[in-house]
Amino acid sequence: MAVDRHILISSLIFFFFAYSHLVYAAAQFCESGTVYGDSGCGTSTASSKMLITGGIVVNAFHQEVADVYVEDEIIVAVKPNIKVGDDVTVIDATGKFVMPGGIDPHTHLAFEFMGTETVDDFFHGQAAALAGGTTMHIDFVIPVSGNLTAGFEAYEKKTENACMDYGFHMAITKWDDEVSREMEIMVKEKGINSFKFFMAYKGALMINDELLLDGFKRCKSLGALAMVHAENGDAVVEGQKRMIELGITGPEGHDLSRPALLEAEATGRAIRLAKFVNTPLYVVHVMSIDAMEEIAKARKSGQRVIGEPVVSGLILDNSRLWDPDFRIASKQVYVMSPPIRETGHDKALQAALSNGLLQLVGTDHCGFNSTQKAFGIDDFRKIPNGVNGIEERMHLVWNAMVESGQISPSDYVRMTSTEWYALLSDHLQHLELPFALYKLAKIFNIYPRKGAILAGSDADIIILNPNASFKISANSHHSRSDNNVFEGFTGKGKVEVTIAGGRIVWQNEELKVVPGSGKYIKMSPYSYLFSGIDKTDANYLASVKAPVQRQFKSSI
């Protein structure tokens, strides 16, 4: 019965959105009978009209063979056998998957870090993303000397040449009343609904537990999602000292100084502090079995914790860090934090993703070239931390997870674009149906504008050929870096067409992007993860039989 109820609810949800967005589209787009694209509508100022025919349309909860009609950057209709006028561009997708463009929740473009700056600015990084089927990403704003407003303004300038849509998380690197006040401005005025706390990079970005608690409480009060980079920064510094004392200065020292147990300790600590405050938590770049198990245990107990593996952790192992050739060990961008782990962690993370213990896939795209990586040729502590992945993620996840049979195409959409669905399904059985429908439309305030092939959604679409092959190489990728951590990887499942904002930006191995065409997407607070938090707090207070009323007798 539980399964039947879930199927019924999912079907009702699909009907609700399909119906509501058809109504929404009807209010904005001109339709002449059953023929789309007829200029005789009278008021159309469409710059592009497009019909994708015969493809398998995949959403996170449903797939069907249908046509997709696009006009004015918006999906107008999704149904079989759509008729169009002569002024419409037609793309045949027969036998291919038509899916929402990917959303990468974790990137660092134009990021000033470890005495240098990542090679991909917003234009080049986003162009690479589009070539790989990602049509939106969420980058991390770093405050300027702790000042959030200054950091936001700096990133506004960095994104002037953006060529695809993007959003922002905000890092918190210090704490005082001004930071607390600015957090409210970021949420209410700037469209930021998540804040990241670094538990590592001591002396640079790292914060202590007192600040973490203050930050968690402020996030809760604003309905913003708290995020953590989970490593024990104090222990990492001790580990680095130990390696140097032992004469271990190569990239393997990076691996040895940041073992999985330090990632697990910090993950568990952040989870427990979030539980103490009673606020949702998002753990970025989960790289180890140890950290994943902390998340799984918390979720099993009912705590609202989201785990984000990144594609490098799902696909790679740490063997290259131990290569005697420094050019392989470092030039190939294998140094990142937390480190890529030994063989076994990758497959375990894939399994956790497929069974719902982890929820979505990011990249932590943070690329440095060979010259920058060589800063640490004599001291692994000076190697800029970061790997690529923004262009490769969609292909590698399809090959590793769908082609292998671990997940379905709908699961793939959920993990790479519509990440809310997995999170919702864990709690759906506990919600009343009308409330569930309401909250579905509110997650990050970007669904169903993003992450869906529905009437009324943005026309951010990919066409993936499951029978086509891909090969990854620094010689052909679109990043500005001269290396690629996935060099030589091959697989099946290739994005042949990327459509962003209703424009074809990738087709026939050609990239056509326009600097400045990307839009900043504001994201509202209070996602469904916050539903019921106030009731939990109230129940706790009601259960506390304190203060105890005591009678004091005079000893006189």
Side-chain angles (χ1 to χ4, degrees), residues 316-337:
L316 304 172
D317 62 54
N318 68 354
S319 58
R320 294 295 182 92
L321 286 172
W322 293 78
D323 197 289
D325 186 341
F326 180 87
R327 292 172 300 174
I328 293 176
S330 185
K331 180 182 174 181
Q332 295 300 325
V333 206
Y334 276 83
V335 171
M336 66 172 292
S337 295

Side-chain angles (χ1 to χ4, degrees), residues 199 212 216 228 230 264-276 281 283 303:
M199 301 171 75
L212 196 60
F216 281 5
V228 292
E265 185 280 329
T267 301
R269 178 157 41 99
I271 286 171
R272 288 164 180 80
L273 292 178
K275 184 174 184 179
F276 178 69
L281 180 68
V283 183
Q303 191 174 347

Side-chain angles (χ1 to χ4, degrees), residues 407-484:
I407 64 172
S408 69
S410 286
D411 292 329
Y412 173 81
V413 168
R414 170 173 59 79
M415 294 170 184
T416 60
S417 183
T418 321
E419 57 265 25
W420 55 266
Y421 188 72
L423 313 182
L424 178 70
S425 64
D426 289 344
H427 302 276
L428 191 57
Q429 58 183 324
H430 304 301
L431 302 175
E432 296 296 328
L433 181 57
F435 182 71
L437 291 172
Y438 174 75
K439 296 307 290 184
L440 264 171
K442 300 292 288 186
I443 299 302
F444 291 132
N445 202 30
I446 60 173
Y447 180 88
R449 178 180 177 181
K450 303 289 186 181
I453 304 293
L454 293 172
S457 298
D458 283 1
D460 296 338
I461 303 168
I462 63 171
I463 300 175
L464 185 145
N465 185 344
N467 299 312
S469 299
F470 66 85
K471 182 176 182 179
I472 296 172
S473 173
N475 293 327
S476 58
H477 71 195
H478 296 82
S479 165
R480 297 174 73 185
S481 179
D482 60 357
N483 53 65
N484 193 305

Side-chain angles (χ1 to χ4, degrees), residues 363-379:
T363 63
D364 193 11
H365 180 91
C366 187
F368 298 97
N369 63 30
S370 301
T371 300
Q372 292 170 307
K373 285 289 179 176
F375 291 170
I377 193 168
D378 296 318
D379 185 345

Side-chain angles (χ1 to χ4, degrees), residues 74-94:
I74 301 295
I75 297 173
V76 178
V78 182
K79 61 184 181 181
N81 302 316
I82 294 176
K83 306 299 182 184
V84 296
D86 295 336
D87 58 340
V88 176
T89 300
V90 178
I91 302 174
D92 183 7
T94 302

Side-chain angles (χ1 to χ4, degrees), residues 178 193 475 540:
E178 181 63 16
N193 66 2
N475 293 327
Y540 169 74

